[in-house]
C-alpha cells in the first residue's frame, strides 16, 4: 500500500498467466480478464499469449480510443509497482497518438468501394467467360481473372478484419461474409483466429502459426527439435518425412504456393467443425456452403474434364502471387522462441517483418501489405494511409537503431529462397539425427 493505492510487482503479475487466472496491465493498472477472455473480439489466444504482462503497446495498436472506457469493469484495484516504459515505447505511443489526432485511423478513402466494384466486375467477367464463351482461351482467361478476384477479396477480408471498412458493424460483417467466406471459401473466423495470433507473436517459432509449416517448410533449424506449437497445442514432428520435404523446400516453395489454397480450405473446415468456440459459427458455415455451391457449379459448366482441371489449377496458380507475398514479408526476417513480451512490442515487430518497395500505382496489387512493418505497428490504420506514415516509422527505427528493411519484390524472393536453402542444407546433414524426444516448450 502506498497512500490510497495498492500495488503488486511484475513477478506477482506473472503468476496470473493461464486460462482461468489471466491478468494483464495497461499503463500500470492491473486488470483481471479471466472470465471475459472467451468473449474477447480478438479471441482468447492473444490474451493468453500476453498474460501476466503489461500489454499497453499491443492494446494501443489494436483498439480505438473508445475501448478504454470498457476497462474499468476489469480493474483489480492494483497498480504495477515496478512499471517502466522504454524510450522506444514512449516514442511509439506518441506517434500513435499523433496519428489518432490527425484522424488517420478514420480516413479510409474510397479503396473499399473501388475494390468491391472491381470484384463485382471481375465476377461478371468470369461468369461471362465460362457461360457464354466456348473458346478454351476464354476459359483460361476467366480462370486468371478469378484468381485476381480471390486476391482482391482476400484484401477486403483482411482490411475488414482489422478495422471497420464500412459505415456500420453490420455492413462490415457483411463485407467479411461476402468477400471472405462466400467468394473465397476461406472462413473469416479461421483468419481472425490465426491472424491475430500471428500479429501478437510475430515470428515466434512456437507461438506464430504463420511460421509453423512442418512437414513442408521450416524457416529455422529450431524446428528440427520437434518443438511444441503453443498455438495448435501439439508438437511439430520433425520426422524422416519432414526432413525429406524440408531438404528440398527451396525447390518446392513455388510449386507448393500454387496449391497452397487447398490447405486454407482444409484449415477452414477443421475449425468450423471443431469443438472450439468462436463467434458466428453458423454464419461462417453458411458462407462456406455458398462458396462450395457456386464454385463447383461454375466449374461443371465447362465442356470437359481437361478444361475443368485447367480452370481450377490456373485460378489457384494466380493466387500463388499472394501466398508468396505473405511469405516474403516474414520468412527471411528475424525469428525467436517463446511467447511475445509486452515490453518489446516495437522491437519484435521491426525484427519480424520485411517491407516490399514499390511505386504507389502498385499499391492495389499488394493490398497495402507491402508496408508490412507499418501494418504490424498500426493494424487498424487503413491501407491508404500506410505510405504516408512510412517515413515517420523509418525515422523512429533509425532513432532507436532498429532495422527497417524494404526490399524489391525480386530481392525479397532472393532472401526467402536463400533462407529456405540454408535450412534445407542443414536438414540434409545426416549427422543431425531426427530427435527421439520432444523439446520441452514454454507453453
Amino acid at each position: 500500500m502506498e497512500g490510497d493505492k495498492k500495488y503488486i510487482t511484475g513477478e506477482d503479475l506473472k503468476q496470473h498467466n493461464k486460462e482461468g487466472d489471466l491478468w494483464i496491465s495497461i499503463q500500470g493498472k492491473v486488470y483481471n480478464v479471466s472470465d471475459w477472455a472467451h468473449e474477447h473480439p480478438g479471441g482468447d489466444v492473444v490474451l493468453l499469449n500476453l498474460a501476466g504482462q503489461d500489454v499497453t503497446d499491443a492494446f494501443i495498436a489494436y483498439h480505438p480510443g473508445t475501448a478504454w472506457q470498457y476497462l474499468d469493469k476489469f480493474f483489480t484495484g492494483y497498480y504495477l509497482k515496478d512499471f517502466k516504459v522504454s524510450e522506444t515505447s514512449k516514442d511509439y505511443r506518441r506517434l500513435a497518438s499523433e496519428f489518432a489526432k490527425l484522424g488517420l485511423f478514420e480516413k479510409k478513402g474510397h479503396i473499399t468501394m473501388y475494390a468491391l466494384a472491381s470484384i463485382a466486375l471481375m465476377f461478371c467477367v468470369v461468369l461471362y467467360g465460362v457461360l457464354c464463351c466456348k473458346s478454351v482461351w476464354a476459359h483460361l482467361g476467366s480462370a486468371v481473372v478469378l484468381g485476381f478476384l480471390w486476391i482482391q477479396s482476400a484484401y477486403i477480408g483482411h482490411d475488414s478484419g482489422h478495422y471497420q471498412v464500412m459505415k456500420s458493424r453490420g455492413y462490415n460483417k457483411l463485407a467479411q461474409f461476402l468477400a471472405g467466406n462466400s467468394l473465397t471459401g476461406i472462413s473469416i473466423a479461421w483468419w481472425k483466429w490465426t491472424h491475430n495470433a500471428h500479429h501478437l507473436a510475430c515470428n515466434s517459432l512456437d507461438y506464430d502459426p504463420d511460421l509453423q509449416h512442418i512437414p513442408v517448410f521450416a524457416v529455422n533449424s529450431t524446428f528440427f527439435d520437434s518443438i511444441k506449437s503453443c498455438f495448435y497445442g501439439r508438437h511439430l514432428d520433425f520426422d524422416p518425412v519432414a526432413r525429406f520435404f524440408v531438404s528440398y523446400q527451396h525447390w518446392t516453395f513455388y510449386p507448393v504456393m500454387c496449391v497452397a489454397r487447398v490447405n486454407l480450405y482444409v484449415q477452414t473446415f477443421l475449425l468450423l467443425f471443431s469443438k472450439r468456440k468462436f463467434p458466428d459459427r453458423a454464419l461462417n458455415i453458411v458462407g462456406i456452403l455458398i462458396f462450395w455451391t457456386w464454385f463447383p457449379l461454375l466449374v461443371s459448366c465447362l465442356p470437359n474434364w481437361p478444361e475443368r482441371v485447367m480452370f481450377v489449377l490456373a485460378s489457384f496458380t494466380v493466387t500463388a502471387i499472394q501466398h508468396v507475398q505473405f511469405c516474403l514479408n516474414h520468412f527471411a526476417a528475424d525469428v525467436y522462441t517463446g511467447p511475445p513480451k509486452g515490453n518489446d512490442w516495437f522491437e519484435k515487430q521491426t525484427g519480424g517483418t520485411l517491407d516490399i518497395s514499390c511505386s504507389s500505382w502498385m499499391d492495389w496489387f499488394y493490398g497495402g501489405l507491402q508496408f508490412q512493418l507499418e501494418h504490424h505497428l498500426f493494424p487498424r490504420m487503413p491501407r491508404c494511409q500506410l505510405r504516408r506514415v512510412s517515413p515517420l516509422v523509418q525515422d523512429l527505427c533509425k532513432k532507436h537503431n532498429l532495422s527497417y528493411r524494404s526490399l524489391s519484390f525480386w530481392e525479397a524472393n532472393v532472401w526467402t529462397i536463400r533462407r529456405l536453402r540454408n535450412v534445407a542444407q542443414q536438414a540434409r546433414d545426416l549427422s543431425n539425427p531426427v530427435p527421439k524426444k520432444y523439446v520441452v516448450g514454454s507453453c
Side-chain angles (χ1 to χ4, degrees):
M1 296 282 293
E2 293 184 15
D4 295 329
K5 291 185 176 181
K6 297 187 295 182
Y7 289 88
I8 63 171
T9 66
E11 288 300 316
D12 294 329
L13 181 61
K14 287 180 181 178
Q15 305 306 311
H16 303 277
N17 64 349
K18 54 185 177 294
E19 189 172 1
D21 183 18
L22 203 168
W23 290 17
I24 56 175
S25 76
I26 300 174
Q27 289 193 336
K29 295 180 71 173
V30 180
Y31 300 94
N32 182 352
V33 293
S34 305
D35 297 330
W36 181 76
H38 289 294
E39 299 177 34
H40 181 228
D44 59 339
V45 172
V46 294
L47 290 174
L48 289 168
N49 285 352
L50 289 171
Q53 304 181 59
D54 183 84
V55 300
T56 305
D57 288 344
F59 184 85
I60 290 173
Y62 279 95
H63 300 84
T66 54
W68 292 88
Q69 62 184 308
Y70 299 106
L71 290 176
D72 286 344
K73 62 182 179 181
F74 304 113
F75 183 46
T76 61
Y78 290 106
Y79 293 82
L80 202 57
K81 186 174 184 180
D82 45 2
F83 174 62
K84 295 180 181 179
V85 183
S86 69
E87 291 303 314
T88 306
S89 287
K90 288 180 182 177
D91 284 343
Y92 167 66
R93 296 174 191 181
R94 190 178 301 116
L95 195 60
S97 177
E98 290 176 4
F99 291 162
K101 290 177 182 177
L102 291 171
L104 298 187
F105 295 104
E106 308 303 325
K107 296 177 181 178
K108 304 177 179 67
H110 301 292
I111 287 180
T112 301
M113 181 183 69
Y114 295 149
L116 290 174
S118 68
I119 289 170
L121 177 61
M122 285 189 285
F123 194 64
C124 292
V125 170
V126 171
L127 292 178
Y128 179 82
V130 172
L131 301 178
C132 302
C133 298
K134 297 182 179 180
S135 168
V136 65
W137 295 109
H139 297 159
L140 179 60
S142 299
V144 172
V145 173
L146 180 59
F148 281 109
L149 181 156
W150 283 337
I151 290 175
Q152 292 302 317
S153 293
Y155 289 146
I156 290 293
H158 175 269
D159 291 348
S160 63
H162 274 299
Y163 58 91
Q164 190 169 303
V165 300
M166 309 298 280
K167 288 186 176 181
S168 69
R169 288 187 178 182
Y171 284 122
N172 198 68
K173 183 176 289 188
L174 179 62
Q176 295 175 351
F177 174 77
L178 293 176
N181 297 44
S182 301
L183 278 179
T184 68
I186 300 169
S187 167
I188 190 67
W190 171 83
W191 178 87
K192 286 183 177 180
W193 177 48
T194 58
H195 196 68
N196 289 339
H198 157 68
H199 266 265
L200 265 295
C202 179
N203 272 34
S204 168
L205 296 177
D206 46 350
Y207 279 81
D208 184 353
D210 282 10
L211 291 188
Q212 298 171 359
H213 302 296
I214 294 293
V216 182
F217 299 131
V219 298
N220 190 275
S221 59
T222 302
F223 284 113
F224 299 173
D225 294 325
S226 295
I227 63 174
K228 183 179 180 180
S229 166
C230 297
F231 178 79
Y232 292 111
R234 58 179 174 80
H235 285 275
L236 305 172
D237 295 330
F238 189 73
D239 53 24
V241 174
R243 180 192 285 272
F244 174 79
F245 282 125
V246 171
S247 295
Y248 298 96
Q249 62 181 1
H250 53 304
W251 293 107
T252 61
F253 176 67
Y254 295 111
V256 168
M257 291 298 103
C258 291
V259 292
R261 197 165 197 82
V262 175
N263 177 57
L264 303 185
Y265 295 147
V266 171
Q267 295 300 322
T268 286
F269 277 101
L270 289 177
L271 176 65
L272 293 186
F273 297 100
S274 69
K275 295 181 180 179
R276 181 176 183 80
K277 295 181 179 179
F278 59 88
D280 302 317
R281 182 189 296 269
L283 185 63
N284 275 268
I285 292 176
V286 169
I288 297 303
L289 289 177
I290 291 175
F291 172 81
W292 287 108
T293 299
W294 75 259
F295 182 55
L297 282 176
L298 182 68
V299 174
S300 69
C301 292
L302 292 166
N304 53 62
W305 277 105
E307 285 197 30
R308 292 166 188 164
V309 173
M310 174 200 70
F311 184 89
V312 172
L313 290 180
S315 59
F316 281 18
T317 300
V318 171
T319 62
I321 299 171
Q322 189 174 65
H323 298 309
V324 168
Q325 178 195 343
F326 293 158
C327 296
L328 301 185
N329 289 138
H330 296 286
F331 270 26
D334 303 336
V335 298
Y336 67 99
T337 56
K341 292 182 172 56
N343 61 0
D344 62 356
W345 165 263
F346 193 94
E347 293 88 336
K348 282 293 193 294
Q349 303 303 323
T350 58
T353 56
L354 291 175
D355 279 16
I356 307 296
S357 59
C358 70
S359 301
S360 58
W361 65 273
M362 283 292 288
D363 287 353
W364 69 273
F365 182 80
Y366 293 102
L369 298 183
Q370 74 275 29
F371 295 109
Q372 190 67 195
L373 174 56
E374 291 81 358
H375 169 62
H376 267 254
L377 293 174
F378 307 103
R380 292 189 302 107
M381 183 170 288
R383 64 168 111 158
C384 60
Q385 303 295 346
L386 295 178
R387 184 175 290 274
R388 178 179 176 180
V389 305
S390 180
L392 299 175
V393 172
Q394 294 179 47
D395 290 343
L396 191 54
C397 289
K398 185 176 181 180
K399 176 181 178 180
H400 295 283
N401 197 29
L402 296 170
S403 59
Y404 181 95
R405 292 160 294 196
S406 183
L407 309 174
S408 69
F409 188 76
W410 173 259
E411 290 172 327
N413 275 272
V414 171
W415 279 40
T416 299
I417 294 301
R418 184 188 299 133
R419 169 66 65 86
L420 293 174
R421 184 182 64 231
N422 289 342
V423 178
Q425 290 172 344
Q426 296 176 61
R428 292 182 190 179
D429 185 358
L430 298 180
S431 64
N432 293 325
V434 174
K436 295 182 179 179
K437 294 183 178 180
Y438 292 130
V439 174
V440 178
S442 57
C443 49

